[in-house]
Amino acid sequence: MNGLSVHFEGVSKIYPHFTLDNLALELPTGTIMGLIGANGAGKSTTIRILMGLVHQDQGRVRVLGREMPREQAPAKLDIGYVSEDMRLYGSATLAWHMKFIRSIYPQWNQPYAETLLRRFDLKPQQRIKGLSHGQRVKAALLLALARRPRLLVLDEPTTGLDPVARQEVLAELMAVLADEDRTILFSSHNTLDVEQISDQITFIDRGRIIASDNKEMFLDRWRRLRLALLPGAVLPRLPGVVEVGGSGRLPILVTDRFDPAMVAVCNDAGATVQAVDPMTLEEIFVANVHSRREKQTV
Amino acid sequence: MNYAMVKRLILKDWYLQRWTILASVAGIVATLSIIATPGKVAFLIGLILLLMVIISIGAQMAVATIVTERKEQTLAFVMSLPISYREYTACKIWGNLLIFLVPWLTMVVGSCALLLLSPNSRGLLPYAVIMSTEILASTCLILAVALITESQGWTVAAIMAGNLAVNGIGYVVAHVAGIAKGMWGSTIQWSGAASALLLGEFTTIVLLLGVTSFVQSKKKDFL
Amino acid sequence: MHSGIVISQADGRPMYLQIIEQIRQRIAVGDWPPGKELPSIRELAVMLRVSVITVKRAYLELERDGIILTQQGKGSIVAPDPGLGAKLYDQELSRHIGRVAELGELLGLTPRELASRVREAADRMTKEYS
């Protein structure tokens, strides 16, 4: 079964101090999308609109074929949602939560739930308020994962986890994708995680989606070129230059439309290419955001 | 409306509040026994205690299941379940009403029994019934405010307003002609005024809950 | 089935290149003989905790280079080419030589100086292994 698990068209939401502007998002079934953005960029609002918890002012939102927020109740039967600001009931045990969820969702898989208890090293008889932050995150994830939802929506799933727990969570997320009918959307500050497991990457900044692309193409298109200008030479005009740094005779260009032919162009123009560096997702994101903000102020 | 889910949510709130419910019933029973103790002072103190206990139960229940749920961020967990805001509102209204009815009914039945038992106090029965319903209405007000405003500040204000209203109305009703007449007698004198007051209170309750349902259904942002 | 492949983010190179290289090595060394079934793209992605799209890219390039063959709907196998091992090593040697030449140029060495450095290294290797 293919098609889109999530489809946003022209979605807008206006708050007194913040506007989500004309969002378009397409998440194909069977893929995993990482949403990256600074704090306050609109990641959480976007996710809440996706879940039907916030009603958009304009535009159309379809999740697993259902219109949101109107059909949020049946849609949520197939969606597992864990957000950073979500809490479980402190006075109850993990076992109680598991029983509660199990009574609601027919797809609950008890053997898998028990496997997760072992992998995440959680004891069901413990009260939630006695758990550490990392354990609570894992508990919430367990409740979402054990019922094998078709769509997983995660707001900062690895934030605040120790490195071992992070790897466990990433492993479980990837295991979800072994089934090509299941999809994941997650937002994260942790660009390393996003870079590692995402198929699609979406950048969001100040209420706008500023880029949404296939990860490999993203990483391919961005390069940092370190040049050395020969005496009398002038910096050649290259497409997609987002940032010019360095100093005087040793400029450093960041471009989002790299082509190997550029090396020859530079060398011919007297700007010897000393290095062509790929960039990490974090560097790409920061460069992208800076250049947009500069354009806005100019 | 998914009634199965509403039922599950109500049961969940009952489970989480189970000790509070038990304690509240125990508190009412203890207070009633103070009232039952012979002696005018015990009687008065018992009455005041009863009022305080039942009002605070109503207030705390609305705070615990609504305001606290939002503050402690378990609301996100509840809303991640396959429900819409209609089911959530229905669960909160009916669930909280039912939770409150347990100590409330204990109080009404208990106090009526006590009043009937002693011949001197039978006349107080209509007044007791009216005041009990008044407390129920005040609790519904707190419930409505908690759900609609989603704010701890406003809910606390409603609790205080409800408190004052009960006291104020208690004074006024005690001086209404039809009721004051038979209050201190030894027979139950049900008057037209009493019926009218009771009807008014029930109407208020229905209105409060109806308005709450309506306003909630119009909300666009649930989180 | 454990692939034995390890991907590291500390390694500066793109992940798909790391995957390609490790698969090539396994084939060249004979761990993965001709005709052997490769894990499916999704299976490998899950094992390595790497996005499906990255594994897909690696497989596409390996197929383009004739190292693996993909059968429609049935997954991929190591190309049944007997000379593959030697061919792979030869390709790798060419790549490394290319890189050596680049570095020589950056350092300003003449071809002769470069060649003598290479000979030194080769002599050392022969001594170690004799």
Side-chain angles (χ1 to χ4, degrees):
Chain A
M1 188 215 112
N2 267 305
L4 299 174
S5 279
V6 176
H7 195 180
F8 274 44
E9 285 174 282
V11 171
S12 296
K13 176 77 185 171
I14 301 168
Y15 287 112
H17 302 291
F18 173 77
T19 303
L20 212 58
D21 190 20
N22 205 8
L23 245 52
L25 197 70
E26 288 183 11
L27 180 55
T29 307
T31 63
I32 170 168
M33 175 184 279
L35 195 60
I36 298 186
N39 282 330
K43 298 192 302 285
S44 295
T45 309
T46 304
I47 287 184
R48 286 185 191 147
I49 292 180
L50 191 160
M51 291 294 295
L53 301 177
V54 166
H55 193 162
Q56 66 274 23
D57 290 324
Q58 268 174 37
R60 201 172 167 199
V61 177
R62 263 165 296 167
V63 178
L64 295 177
R66 310 241 186 219
E67 297 287 331
M68 300 298 252
R70 189 166 47 92
E71 296 180 271
Q72 61 177 284
K76 286 189 275 191
L77 261 178
D78 287 321
I79 306 177
Y81 173 54
V82 180
S83 86
E84 198 195 12
D85 61 357
M86 188 189 282
R87 300 277 181 279
L88 303 175
Y89 293 105
S91 60
T93 61
L94 177 56
W96 177 84
H97 282 85
M98 287 169 73
K99 209 174 85 171
F100 181 58
I101 296 288
R102 185 177 182 175
S103 73
I104 298 173
Y105 296 93
Q107 321 99 308
W108 177 271
N109 187 319
Q110 184 61 20
Y112 184 45
E114 283 164 17
T115 306
L116 285 175
L117 278 173
R118 275 196 309 276
R119 284 206 191 131
F120 287 167
D121 194 28
L122 293 169
K123 306 218 175 355
Q125 296 316 318
Q126 255 189 303
R127 288 191 195 281
I128 301 295
K129 65 177 165 222
L131 296 177
S132 70
H133 170 77
Q135 286 174 312
R136 281 185 218 200
V137 170
K138 287 194 282 188
L141 279 169
L142 184 154
L143 292 173
L145 287 169
R147 51 184 178 88
R148 299 212 176 275
R150 275 168 53 205
L151 172 64
L152 261 178
V153 178
L154 309 171
D155 201 341
E156 305 282 348
T158 57
T159 303
L161 293 183
D162 64 80
V164 174
R166 252 185 64 223
Q167 285 306 318
E168 288 166 351
V169 167
L170 288 178
E172 290 311 319
L173 293 185
M174 283 310 300
V176 166
L177 287 183
D179 179 345
E180 61 186 29
D181 284 335
R182 296 173 68 194
T183 315
I184 300 182
L185 171 66
F186 75 110
S187 84
S188 185
H189 283 312
N190 196 324
T191 49
L192 278 180
D193 287 347
V194 175
E195 189 171 341
Q196 184 177 330
I197 65 173
S198 302
D199 294 319
Q200 297 263 90
I201 297 188
T202 298
F203 282 175
I204 185 168
D205 187 45
R206 294 192 179 169
R208 279 208 167 84
I209 288 184
I210 58 183
S212 185
D213 216 342
N214 165 323
K215 176 190 69 185
E216 292 289 328
M217 280 180 27
F218 226 81
L219 296 176
D220 266 354
R221 275 177 23 219
W222 285 76
R223 286 291 184 274
R224 185 181 290 120
L225 290 143
R226 279 187 276 138
L227 308 172
L229 285 177
L230 297 176
V234 148
L235 210 56
R237 297 202 51 184
L238 295 171
V241 170
V242 159
E243 204 175 274
V244 180
S247 60
R249 300 275 307 282
L250 295 172
I252 299 178
L253 297 180
V254 172
T255 171
D256 71 352
R257 249 175 285 166
F258 177 70
D259 189 303
M262 280 183 189
V263 176
V265 168
C266 286
N267 284 329
D268 288 344
T272 327
V273 174
Q274 308 232 297
V276 178
D277 299 328
M279 296 168 68
T280 66
L281 200 57
E282 180 155 324
E283 293 170 323
I284 294 173
F285 178 58
V286 172
N288 209 333
V289 167
H290 278 166
S291 83
R292 293 193 81 248
R293 291 189 188 174
E294 232 136 85
K295 280 199 202 109
Q296 282 176 343
T297 46
V298 154
Chain B
M1 171 86 82
N2 188 338
Y3 291 106
M5 270 311 296
V6 175
K7 193 176 91 166
R8 283 201 197 97
L9 290 174
I10 292 178
L11 286 173
K12 161 199 63 103
D13 276 340
W14 271 72
Y15 173 79
L16 293 170
Q17 297 294 313
R18 61 198 186 287
W19 300 120
T20 315
I21 298 173
L22 268 170
S24 71
V25 171
I28 300 279
V29 168
T31 318
L32 285 171
S33 40
I34 293 179
I35 296 179
T37 330
K40 267 216 156 132
V41 176
F43 185 71
L44 277 171
I45 293 181
L47 267 178
I48 295 170
L49 259 178
L50 191 66
L51 265 178
M52 277 171 51
V53 167
I54 192 69
I55 289 177
S56 62
I57 287 172
Q60 115 85 19
M61 156 210 81
V63 169
T65 65
I66 298 173
V67 173
T68 305
E69 190 156 68
R70 188 167 278 272
K71 214 167 58 139
E72 309 245 300
Q73 296 163 298
T74 43
L75 179 62
F77 172 69
V78 175
M79 288 313 296
S80 75
L81 301 172
I83 57 172
S84 68
Y85 217 47
R86 281 176 69 208
E87 277 93 10
Y88 176 77
T89 304
C91 147
K92 288 308 175 197
I93 290 180
W94 296 112
N96 282 322
L97 264 182
L98 286 172
I99 290 179
F100 183 66
L101 280 179
V102 172
W104 187 80
L105 277 173
T106 313
M107 177 192 79
V108 170
V109 168
S111 49
C112 286
L114 277 179
L115 291 173
L116 282 172
L117 282 174
S118 148
N120 295 339
S121 50
R122 290 211 188 119
L124 274 172
L125 206 87
Y127 186 67
V129 171
I130 291 171
M131 286 317 295
S132 300
T133 316
E134 183 54 42
I135 291 173
L136 183 62
S138 159
T139 305
C140 287
L141 174 70
I142 297 170
L143 192 58
V145 168
L147 269 176
I148 293 177
T149 66
E150 300 167 12
S151 133
Q152 181 165 18
W154 280 105
T155 307
V156 168
I159 293 172
M160 296 199 302
N163 236 322
L164 285 172
V166 167
N167 284 317
I169 290 175
Y171 180 80
V172 166
V173 167
H175 289 80
V176 165
I179 297 176
K181 210 170 52 170
M183 255 175 83
W184 307 107
S186 52
T187 53
I188 305 174
Q189 290 192 9
W190 194 266
S191 61
S195 304
L197 276 168
L198 215 54
L199 189 63
E201 283 167 345
F202 276 119
T203 313
T204 310
I205 290 173
V206 169
L207 268 175
L208 276 171
L209 299 180
V211 164
T212 308
S213 284
F214 178 73
V215 170
Q216 288 291 84
S217 70
K218 291 286 167 248
K219 277 192 181 165
K220 277 179 108 189
D221 296 347
F222 312 138
L223 225 55
Chain C
M1 113 167 235
H2 184 56
S3 67
I5 298 179
V6 173
I7 302 298
S8 167
Q9 284 188 312
D11 185 326
R13 291 167 307 157
M15 290 183 288
Y16 82 97
L17 277 181
Q18 295 179 46
I19 296 175
I20 289 177
E21 180 178 295
Q22 292 196 35
I23 292 182
R24 281 168 163 253
Q25 280 176 357
R26 267 164 189 68
I27 295 176
V29 158
D31 269 357
W32 287 9
K36 176 176 169 60
E37 236 179 69
L38 270 70
S40 77
I41 292 178
R42 263 180 202 271
E43 276 169 15
L44 190 59
V46 172
M47 274 192 272
L48 298 180
R49 295 178 203 169
V50 153
S51 60
V52 167
I53 214 169
T54 303
V55 177
K56 198 180 249 181
R57 184 177 185 181
Y59 275 32
L60 278 173
E61 276 207 26
L62 285 168
E63 180 161 9
R64 213 189 49 201
D65 290 344
I67 314 279
I68 66 174
L69 291 178
T70 307
Q71 304 149 299
Q72 186 66 301
K74 283 190 351 185
S76 308
I77 55 167
V78 178
D81 181 339
L84 194 58
K87 191 159 84 171
L88 280 180
Y89 271 134
D90 195 80
Q91 282 178 355
E92 216 176 303
L93 181 64
S94 300
R95 260 205 313 278
H96 282 298
I97 290 181
R99 184 69 185 136
V100 165
E102 270 175 45
L103 288 167
E105 165 125 4
L106 271 172
L107 286 167
L109 300 174
T110 67
R112 171 167 293 170
E113 286 165 331
L114 200 58
S116 79
R117 291 276 290 268
V118 172
R119 163 163 291 158
E120 273 173 38
D123 285 342
R124 244 179 287 136
M125 285 288 286
T126 325
K127 247 187 249 147
E128 272 173 34
Y129 285 108
S130 61

